[in-house]
């Protein structure tokens, strides 16, 4: 069986939903579980409604009408019957009532509203499938995905959820081969709606895939897959056909707009291949992410991220002293700031952070026992690939091609699949161009990379 997740742009209107239906019909798998996001921008609008319920009820009610019309419009465009529209109107009557009666905004209210986007999109899509003559079950994810009560970003109770998904789907699959469920939404033990955090639909899809031991998890989006570099910066970027889970994780971490590793963890744990594909160009094979064994070991991509601050910390006492590093990290811990890259020498340590909210307090604490300096407007560039640790001469090529650039920090990641440097933001574009042409211009393995133009 397959779990197919379609993001907000893939269900943004009737046209897009028709494409989704085509794709699902053409899938080679007999049993399919389709997981959908809310229609594009709807989650933002619902957040707006919720946040205004105590400030400006008029505004919230008006906004709800707008959201209702957006949905009814697509129901019309899909030529679904009146019963569908009537149900949607009823749903909005309920929400308007909530706006009128709720006194204050809190995270519980947030989830009550925000969870509606996925309920609506999955309901409409399931009706559109039925109109095409497909038997389809609209599953409410609130019934099977169980969380704690940390509204807005609830934690999934894995065991309970797996059991519920397996039992429910076993029943459903006796009569249906196609199930449509909303992503992102869940419920707590009291059956109140919860959500899994922004972008949470990928996570929901991975949870379903893992519980059902799916053969594949397909993530359908609006780009052709994952590229050797951001195509907006590097015109000659190539599509990567295969990545390992670790490589995909490193890429996401260092700035590539790909799946967040945390969100597909349940699929990774079960060794389920994850395939990123384009709803608007389904014949493109996308990017396949699976375990290391399936992957050719080479350099796969370059990722970068701006807005990096470097903190240099120097201690005279570090020479021969122990406890300095732990004291430094204790301070970052206390100030709830995560450190990304670290390099140390005998007497100093440099760390990078991208969240400078608590910088002032961090500096004050560090200055109690060290000399501290900070520089802003830097960028991290990471060359990522399982091949880095195995291929001789990579570092020489890396630094050779950047010989005119001032490299501020170097870090060879502990996972050994990324080699990262920090440069000034003003050197970013030039550096990325140089690295990309060094590693991705010639002798490319056509089993791994695809020329786009
Ligand atoms: N609709 C939710 C959001 O916009 C979840 C998702 O799309 O993954 O964050
Ligand atoms: Mg998303």
């Amino acid at each position: 069986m397959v779990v197919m997740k379609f993001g907000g742009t893939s269900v943004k209107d009737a046209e897009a939903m028709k494409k989704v239906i085509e794709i699902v019909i053409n899938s080679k798998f007999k049993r399919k579980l389709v997981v959908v996001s809310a229609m594009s921008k709807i989650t933002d609008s619902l957040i707006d409604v919720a946040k205004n319920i105590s400030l400006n009820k008029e505004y919230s009610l008006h906004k709800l009408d707008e959201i209702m019309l957006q949905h009814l419009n697509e129901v019309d465009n899909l030529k679904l019957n009146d019963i569908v529209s009537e149900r949607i109107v009823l749903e909005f009557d309920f929400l308007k009532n909530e706006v009128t009666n709720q006194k204050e905004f809190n995270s519980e209210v947030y989830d009550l509203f925000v969870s509606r986007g996925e309920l609506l999109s999955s309901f409409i899509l399931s009706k559109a499938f039925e109109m095409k003559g497909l038997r389809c079950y609209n599953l409410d994810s609130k019934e099977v995905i169980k969380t704690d009560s940390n509204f807005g970003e609830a934690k999934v109770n894995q065991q309970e959820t797996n059991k519920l998904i397996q039992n429910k789907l076993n029943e459903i699959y006796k009569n249906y081969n196609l199930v449509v469920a909303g992503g992102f939404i869940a419920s707590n033990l009291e059956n109140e709606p919860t959500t899994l955090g922004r972008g949470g639909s990928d996570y929901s899809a991975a949870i379903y895939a893992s519980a059902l031991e799916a053969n594949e998890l397909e993530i359908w989006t609006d780009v052709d897959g994952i590229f050797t570099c951001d195509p907006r910066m590097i015109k000659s970027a190539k599509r990567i056909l295969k990545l390992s889970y670790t490589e995909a994780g490193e890429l996401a971490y260092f700035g590539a707009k790909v799946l967040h590793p945390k969100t597909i963890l349940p699929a990774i744990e079960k060794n389920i291949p994850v395939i990123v594909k384009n709803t608007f160009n389904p014949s493109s094979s996308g990017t396949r992410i699976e375990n290391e064994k399936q992957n050719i070991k080479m350099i796969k991509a370059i990722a970068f991220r701006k807005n990096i601050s470097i903190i240099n910390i120097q201690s005279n006492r570090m020479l021969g002293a122990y406890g300095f590093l732990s004291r430094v990290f204790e301070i970052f811990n206390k100030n709830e700031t995560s450190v990304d890259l670290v390099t140390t020498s005998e007497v100093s340590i440099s760390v990078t952070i991208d969240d400078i909210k608590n910088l002032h307090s961090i500096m004050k604490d560090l200055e109690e026992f060290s000399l501290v300096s900070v520089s802003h407007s830097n960028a991290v560039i990471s060359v990522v690939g399982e091949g880095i640790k195995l291929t001789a001469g990579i570092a020489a090529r890396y630094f050779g091609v950047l010989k005119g650039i001032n490299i501020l920090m170097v870090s060879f990641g502990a996972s050994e699949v990324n080699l990262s440097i920090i440069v000034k933001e003003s050197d970013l574009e030039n550096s990325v161009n140089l690295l990309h042409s060094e590693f991705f211009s010639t002798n490319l393995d056509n089993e791994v990379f695809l020329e786009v133009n």
Side-chain angles (χ1 to χ4, degrees), residues 75 78-86 127 130-131:
V75 167
L78 285 163
K79 303 198 166 46
L80 301 178
N81 65 30
D82 292 348
I83 299 169
V84 177
S85 316
E86 280 158 24
K127 292 296 165 195
E130 281 175 8
M131 212 191 57

Side-chain angles (χ1 to χ4, degrees), residues 78-138:
L78 285 163
K79 303 198 166 46
L80 301 178
N81 65 30
D82 292 348
I83 299 169
V84 177
S85 316
E86 280 158 24
R87 261 196 59 187
I88 290 174
V89 173
L90 276 181
E91 176 73 19
F92 279 88
D93 283 347
F94 163 77
L95 291 177
K96 284 179 205 165
N97 229 339
E98 287 295 317
V99 169
T100 314
N101 295 333
Q102 290 285 351
K103 289 193 184 47
E104 58 173 284
F105 171 74
N106 57 38
S107 53
E108 217 171 314
V109 171
Y110 174 97
D111 274 353
L112 178 75
F113 283 90
V114 166
S115 60
R116 258 53 202 187
E118 270 73 6
L119 286 175
L120 287 161
S121 63
S122 64
F123 170 63
I124 295 173
L125 185 65
S126 71
K127 292 296 165 195
F129 273 119
E130 281 175 8
M131 212 191 57
K132 272 267 174 188
L134 286 144
R135 275 175 60 71
C136 165
Y137 187 93
N138 183 199

Side-chain angles (χ1 to χ4, degrees), residues 142-204:
K142 297 205 292 315
E143 280 181 39
V144 288
I145 301 189
K146 284 290 171 187
T147 66
D148 63 10
S149 294
N150 186 17
F151 296 98
E153 186 129 27
K155 190 172 175 311
V156 174
N157 178 337
Q158 215 51 264
Q159 239 180 348
E160 181 67 11
T161 297
N162 279 348
K163 215 170 62 205
L164 287 170
I165 292 178
Q166 284 157 4
N167 291 343
K168 183 82 188 175
L169 269 295
N170 272 339
E171 271 311 300
I172 298 173
Y173 281 137
K174 285 181 187 157
N175 296 307
Y176 297 84
N177 282 324
L178 173 60
V179 178
V180 180
F184 180 55
I185 56 180
S187 69
N188 63 11
L189 289 176
E190 289 78 44
N191 292 324
E192 294 161 322
T194 57
T195 56
L196 306 180
R198 293 306 305 266
S201 291
D202 292 341
Y203 186 41
S204 309

